[in-house]
DNA sequence: ATAGGGTTAG
């Protein structure tokens, strides 16, 4: 009798368990049907009704689904409702929650918050937890926090796990001055698969250390680790940064040869590389050959930005229209590219229309960059007064970039007194920013006020402000060369400087007159003309004329904007030496041919 | 049942 009661109890409990499990399964499949927030809310009601609102597994899945509906907050409000039922908390649930916040913009701090909350609840993190937490640290670029988390990783013994290690390197490489720690960690870890290499190569690219990125890629090949599509994206990114077209072409053929999967991201990286390494038509061909389903907003934006950089504004605009017809939603970045295209091509009316359409038709709130594009658009078109009014009407505080755009416009369109006033205000706000002084000096040069111009230089010297040195990169068959102004580190300096002198003679014979108003401030006045001849792009062009076959195109990449003087000189050189010269400056391409530039002297 | 790296602008 006692025996059968026991059996009965057992049966009862197993029936209960079975039915609870059935309810749980039922909930999980119901959750899969929740493809909208209202449905999820309905589901939540159901959850309470069947008493599974504290079931860890169901709540985890609930979190997952909410995050896909961009509503993680809803999940956390359910989990941590006014009466928290802490028995439902487990590691898996917290991991999912931290992951969701770590992968959402502007929510990295919340991810960290739930990590610390998890610890305070006495829930032990596992090796799955740390990649998410470290990703959040990387996202907010918080080195000290990342280091603290690293400490916990070591204490809990997760520092031998490959995934955790890779995310640690990622975290260090994402934080300012942290790349050294990242590199040290990378050097010490086992490196048998491409992920660690990709992270480290990406770290170098992120901080503009592109040649280090390429050397590391070479080390990876020597180590016999097969690169994958992620690695190739990173290497392409380095090529793009350096303007290394030949290296980029090699990457493309390598991808073909090794049958590396051409994901959207890899195609986009290739398109961007070709566009920014001066072969915009090849970029367009790649884009056209990309299957329509693979073309993302980034693909379209890369093409629009590329066309804008090459001064092909009308084509950028028609690509934008085609993108709309293709049903791909433009984002805020696409509009920056589009407005830039309008600006560089003098399409004022179109630019204004698109700026309004951005908010009205696409619901995108303009950011400071978009306002900057509009100020640039009006300024370049000579509408300085309108640009000023636009700045005063802007609903957000103008930043120094906006003021500098206006100041340049004042100088170009001879509103010198206004320009002087704004620049002085800007210097009060930003006393250590070198280009503010250069702007002021340029305005005085145009006013022919040499006394004030030299005062500006004295002030700069007294405050210990020096100008960012101009540098130019050039890729030849045997590698990439970098020149800085007055450079004498290339072993062939004598020949290069002889060539510069010869160029100068030929240009003068052709009627070239040196103008010195844009001369850098850190150069002695009496040496103005000589200094201009030593600008890095002149050195690079002289080097290219010496080292490359007659008639071939010369491609160079500058870190700053090209100065008026070098611009004029390069036009002359393209004519005298019968060379096409493609110059990528900080903002755009200049295509010099037969004494003319594609920018039509408007940049 | 939750693991690691990516492209556009600034």
């Amino acid at each position: 009798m006692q025996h059968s009661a026991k059996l009965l109890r057992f049966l009862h409990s197993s029936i209960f368990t079975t039915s609870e499990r059935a309810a749980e399964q039922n909930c999980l499949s119901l959750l899969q049907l929740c493809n909208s927030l209202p449905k999820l809310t309905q589901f939540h009601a159901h959850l309470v009704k069947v008493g599974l609102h504290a079931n860890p597994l169901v709540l985890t899945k609930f979190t997952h689904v909410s995050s896909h509906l961009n509503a993680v907050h809803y999940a956390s409000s359910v989990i941590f409702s006014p009466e928290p039922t802490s028995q439902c908390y487990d590691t898996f649930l917290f991991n999912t929650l931290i992951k969701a916040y770590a992968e959402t913009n502007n929510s990295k701090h919340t991810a960290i918050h739930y990590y610390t909350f998890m610890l305070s609840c006495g829930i032990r993190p596992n090796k799955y937890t740390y990649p998410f937490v470290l990703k959040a640290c990387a996202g907010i670029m918080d080195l000290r926090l990342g280091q603290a988390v690293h400490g916990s990783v070591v204490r809990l013994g997760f520092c031998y796990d490959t995934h955790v290690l890779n995310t640690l390197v990622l975290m260090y490489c994402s934080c300012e001055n942290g790349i050294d720690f990242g590199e040290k960690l990378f050097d010490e870890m086992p490196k048998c698969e491409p992920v660690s290499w990709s992270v480290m190569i990406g770290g170098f690219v992120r901080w503009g250390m592109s040649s280090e990125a390429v050397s590391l890629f070479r080390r990876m090949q020597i180590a016999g680790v097969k690169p994958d599509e992620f690695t190739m994206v990173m290497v392409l990114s380095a090529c793009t940064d350096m303007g290394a077209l030949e290296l980029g072409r090699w990457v493309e053929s390598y991808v073909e040869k090794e049958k590396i999967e051409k994901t959207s991201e890899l195609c986009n990286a290739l398109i961007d590389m070709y566009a920014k390494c001066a072969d915009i038509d090849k970029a367009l061909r790649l884009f056209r050959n990309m299957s329509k389903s693979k073309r993302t907003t980034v693909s379209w934006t890369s093409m629009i930005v590329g066309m804008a950089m090459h001064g092909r504004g009308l084509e950028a605009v028609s690509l934008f229209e085609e993108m709309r017809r293709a049903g791909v939603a433009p984002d805020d970045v696409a509009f920056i590219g589009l407005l830039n295209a309008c600006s560089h091509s003098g399409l004022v009316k179109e630019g204004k229309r698109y700026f309004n359409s951005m908010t009205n038709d696409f619901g995108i709130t303009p950011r400071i960059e978009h306002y900057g594009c509009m100020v640039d658009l009006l300024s370049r078109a000579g509408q300085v007064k309108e640009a000023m009014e636009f700045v005063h009407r802007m609903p957000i505080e103008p930043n120094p970039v906006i003021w500098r755009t206006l100041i340049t416009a004042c100088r170009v369109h001879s509103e010198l007194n206004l320009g002087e006033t704004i620049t002085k205000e800007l210097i009060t706000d930003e006393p250590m920013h070198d280009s503010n002084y250069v702007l002021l000096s340029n305005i005085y040069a145009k006013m022919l006020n040499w006394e004030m111009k030299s005062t500006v230089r004295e002030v700069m010297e007294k405050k210990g402000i020096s100008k960012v040195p101009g540098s130019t990169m050039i890729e030849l068959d045997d590698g990439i060369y970098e020149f800085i102004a007055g450079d004498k580190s290339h072993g062939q300096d004598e020949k290069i400087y002889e060539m510069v002198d010869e160029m100068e003679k030929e240009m003068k014979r052709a009627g070239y007159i040196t103008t010195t108003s844009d001369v850098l401030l850190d150069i002695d006045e009496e040496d103005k003309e000589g200094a201009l001849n030593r600008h890095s792009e002149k050195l690079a062009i002289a080097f290219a004329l010496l080292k490359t076959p007659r008639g071939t195109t010369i491609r160079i990449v500058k870190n700053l904007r090209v100065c008026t003087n070098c611009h004029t000189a390069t036009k002359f050189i393209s004519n005298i030496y019968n060379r096409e010269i493609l110059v990528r400056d900080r903002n755009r391409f200049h295509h010099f041919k037969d004494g003319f530039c594609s920018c039509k002297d408007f940049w």
Side-chain angles (χ1 to χ4, degrees):
Chain A
M1 187 60 199
Q2 211 184 5
H3 188 77
S4 64
K6 214 173 173 180
L7 180 69
L8 208 69
R9 259 204 316 275
F10 170 72
L11 278 176
H12 184 259
S13 75
S14 85
I15 287 165
F16 178 75
T17 310
T18 313
S19 69
E20 192 185 61
R21 189 158 298 159
E24 191 184 273
Q25 282 306 313
N26 183 35
C27 277
L28 292 181
S29 32
L30 272 176
L31 256 171
Q32 301 218 304
L33 303 172
C34 293
N35 53 6
S36 69
L37 203 53
K39 282 186 189 165
L40 197 67
T41 319
Q42 251 181 339
F43 173 81
H44 180 209
H46 171 76
L47 210 56
V48 177
K49 212 162 78 188
V50 298
L52 281 176
H53 54 285
N55 177 302
L57 179 55
V58 174
L59 284 178
T60 303
K61 192 86 185 183
F62 190 88
T63 306
H64 192 75
V65 173
S66 318
S67 82
H68 276 284
L69 297 170
N70 295 320
V72 209
H73 282 294
Y74 184 49
S76 43
S77 73
V78 170
I79 298 165
F80 307 107
S81 50
E83 285 176 69
T85 41
S86 57
Q87 74 274 14
C88 74
Y89 301 165
D90 68 3
T91 305
F92 182 29
L93 176 58
F94 272 104
N95 287 355
T96 309
L97 202 61
I98 294 167
K99 172 187 155 83
Y101 280 109
E103 287 170 357
T104 309
N105 281 338
N106 308 320
S107 290
K108 320 286 178 195
H109 286 104
T110 318
I112 308 289
H113 162 80
Y114 282 119
Y115 168 64
T116 46
F117 184 59
M118 170 186 195
L119 297 179
S120 70
C121 292
I123 310 284
R124 258 182 98 79
N126 60 12
K127 61 178 178 175
Y128 296 90
T129 315
Y130 284 98
F132 305 137
V133 177
L134 289 165
K135 220 173 160 176
C137 297
I140 51 177
M141 303 199 289
D142 192 331
L143 182 63
R144 296 184 70 173
L145 185 66
Q147 282 173 318
V149 175
H150 188 179
S152 307
V153 166
V154 173
R155 266 198 309 282
L156 295 171
F158 297 131
C159 57
Y160 301 101
D161 182 89
T162 333
H163 288 85
V164 174
L165 272 173
N166 286 332
T167 343
L168 271 170
V169 176
L170 173 78
M171 180 277 292
Y172 280 119
C173 288
S174 305
C175 299
E176 200 142 7
N177 299 332
I179 191 146
D180 294 342
F181 295 108
E183 205 179 354
K184 192 164 176 292
L185 207 57
F186 172 79
D187 284 337
E188 289 163 359
M189 66 194 272
K191 295 175 276 282
C192 351
E193 26 79 315
V195 181
S196 348
W197 294 88
S198 302
V199 172
M200 197 59 229
I201 293 171
F204 283 132
V205 174
R206 186 189 178 108
W207 297 104
M209 300 161 78
S210 297
S211 51
E212 284 85 349
V214 173
S215 330
L216 187 59
F217 173 65
R218 303 224 192 275
R219 260 176 65 197
M220 176 181 184
Q221 287 190 296
I222 293 166
V225 182
K226 196 181 174 313
D228 62 10
E229 65 271 23
F230 286 81
T231 323
M232 296 331 269
V233 168
M234 301 302 187
V235 177
L236 280 170
S237 212
C239 295
T240 308
D241 176 50
M242 296 188 290
L245 179 62
E246 293 310 324
L247 188 57
R249 282 183 178 144
W250 178 86
V251 172
E252 190 191 11
S253 63
Y254 186 88
V255 166
E256 297 293 343
K257 196 179 75 196
E258 298 296 324
K259 301 200 172 14
I260 293 172
E261 195 193 346
K262 282 211 207 163
T263 55
S264 284
E265 289 85 354
L266 181 51
C267 292
N268 294 343
L270 276 168
I271 290 170
D272 186 49
M273 183 277 293
Y274 278 113
K276 293 203 181 126
C277 293
D279 198 346
I280 182 75
D281 292 311
K282 168 79 185 188
L284 187 60
R285 283 200 297 280
L286 276 181
F287 177 78
R288 292 293 174 208
N289 284 336
M290 209 173 159
S291 72
K292 291 191 175 161
S293 59
K294 260 196 193 171
R295 287 182 200 161
T296 61
T297 305
V298 176
S299 329
W300 289 94
T301 306
S302 301
M303 275 318 300
I304 292 168
V305 169
M307 286 297 180
M309 280 187 82
H310 285 269
R312 289 160 65 165
L314 287 172
E315 282 162 277
V317 169
S318 74
L319 274 162
F320 179 80
E321 290 300 333
E322 194 188 335
M323 174 186 186
R324 286 181 58 167
R325 285 196 300 274
V328 179
D331 61 7
D332 49 343
V333 184
F335 273 100
I336 292 175
L338 179 65
L339 295 175
N340 254 323
C342 294
S343 177
H344 285 305
S345 302
L347 305 168
V348 181
K349 244 169 58 190
E350 290 83 351
K352 284 182 179 170
R353 189 163 56 79
Y354 282 126
F355 182 77
N356 293 327
S357 156
M358 177 168 84
T359 316
N360 298 339
D361 304 331
F362 296 93
I364 298 169
T365 312
R367 285 185 288 121
I368 191 81
E369 288 85 357
H370 298 98
Y371 289 104
C373 288
M374 291 310 286
V375 175
D376 193 52
L377 179 85
L378 296 168
S379 299
R380 278 169 198 271
Q383 306 178 14
V384 185
K385 293 246 157 61
E386 281 190 72
M388 265 309 267
E389 283 163 23
F390 184 86
V391 172
H392 287 305
R393 278 202 318 269
M394 273 167 48
I396 46 180
E397 194 66 25
N399 64 5
V401 178
I402 298 229
W403 292 123
R404 279 192 280 274
T405 306
L406 266 177
I407 293 163
T408 308
C410 288
R411 178 177 54 97
V412 174
H413 301 288
S414 295
E415 296 278 352
L416 302 175
N417 293 324
L418 180 61
E420 185 191 7
T421 312
I422 306 175
T423 316
K424 282 181 174 169
E425 282 173 27
L426 189 55
I427 288 179
T428 316
D429 289 346
E430 269 193 326
M432 294 309 281
H433 199 288
D434 62 347
S435 57
N436 296 340
Y437 296 88
V438 177
L439 285 170
L440 190 57
S441 157
N442 286 344
I443 283 175
Y444 288 133
K446 186 141 185 186
M447 285 176 165
L448 307 177
N449 189 342
W450 307 113
E451 202 180 317
M452 283 309 287
K453 188 177 152 80
S454 63
T455 308
V456 173
R457 208 183 82 214
E458 282 160 24
V459 170
M460 267 185 99
E461 269 167 24
K462 216 159 79 190
K463 291 189 182 169
I465 299 158
S466 56
K467 207 185 165 308
V468 174
S471 86
T472 301
M473 286 201 266
I474 181 161
E475 186 191 38
L476 298 181
D477 290 339
D478 56 345
I480 294 154
Y481 295 84
E482 185 174 6
F483 291 86
I484 53 168
D487 206 339
K488 289 195 173 159
S489 61
H490 289 269
Q492 306 183 37
D493 317 311
E494 244 175 73
K495 277 192 176 164
I496 294 171
Y497 283 97
E498 269 171 33
M499 190 65 204
V500 170
D501 288 341
E502 192 201 308
M503 279 156 49
E504 185 75 3
K505 254 183 247 158
E506 293 290 338
M507 286 193 291
K508 281 200 169 139
R509 193 174 301 159
Y512 168 77
I513 298 159
T514 315
T515 52
T516 50
S517 61
D518 274 6
V519 178
L520 297 181
L521 284 159
D522 51 355
I523 306 284
D524 287 332
E525 293 288 321
E526 60 267 30
D527 194 30
K528 267 185 206 162
E529 203 171 312
L532 280 170
N533 287 333
R534 286 169 184 77
H535 269 185
S536 59
E537 59 245 70
K538 289 251 178 72
L539 300 180
I541 290 172
F543 188 61
L545 286 173
L546 286 169
K547 300 272 282 187
T548 57
R550 276 165 193 269
T552 52
T553 300
I554 297 171
R555 285 182 305 106
I556 59 176
V557 176
K558 271 185 64 72
N559 66 334
L560 303 173
R561 277 177 60 178
V562 56
C563 80
T564 320
N565 208 286
C566 286
H567 194 266
T568 312
T570 311
K571 285 197 284 189
F572 273 88
I573 294 166
S574 72
N575 203 23
I576 296 166
Y577 293 90
N578 194 22
R579 293 282 199 122
E580 284 185 43
I581 304 172
L582 286 163
V583 180
R584 183 179 95 189
D585 78 6
R586 211 188 157 85
N587 285 333
R588 58 166 295 155
F589 275 97
H590 299 265
H591 188 164
F592 296 93
K593 195 186 173 189
D594 302 329
F596 293 93
C597 178
S598 62
C599 77
K600 302 187 182 90
D601 302 334
F602 185 79
W603 78 93

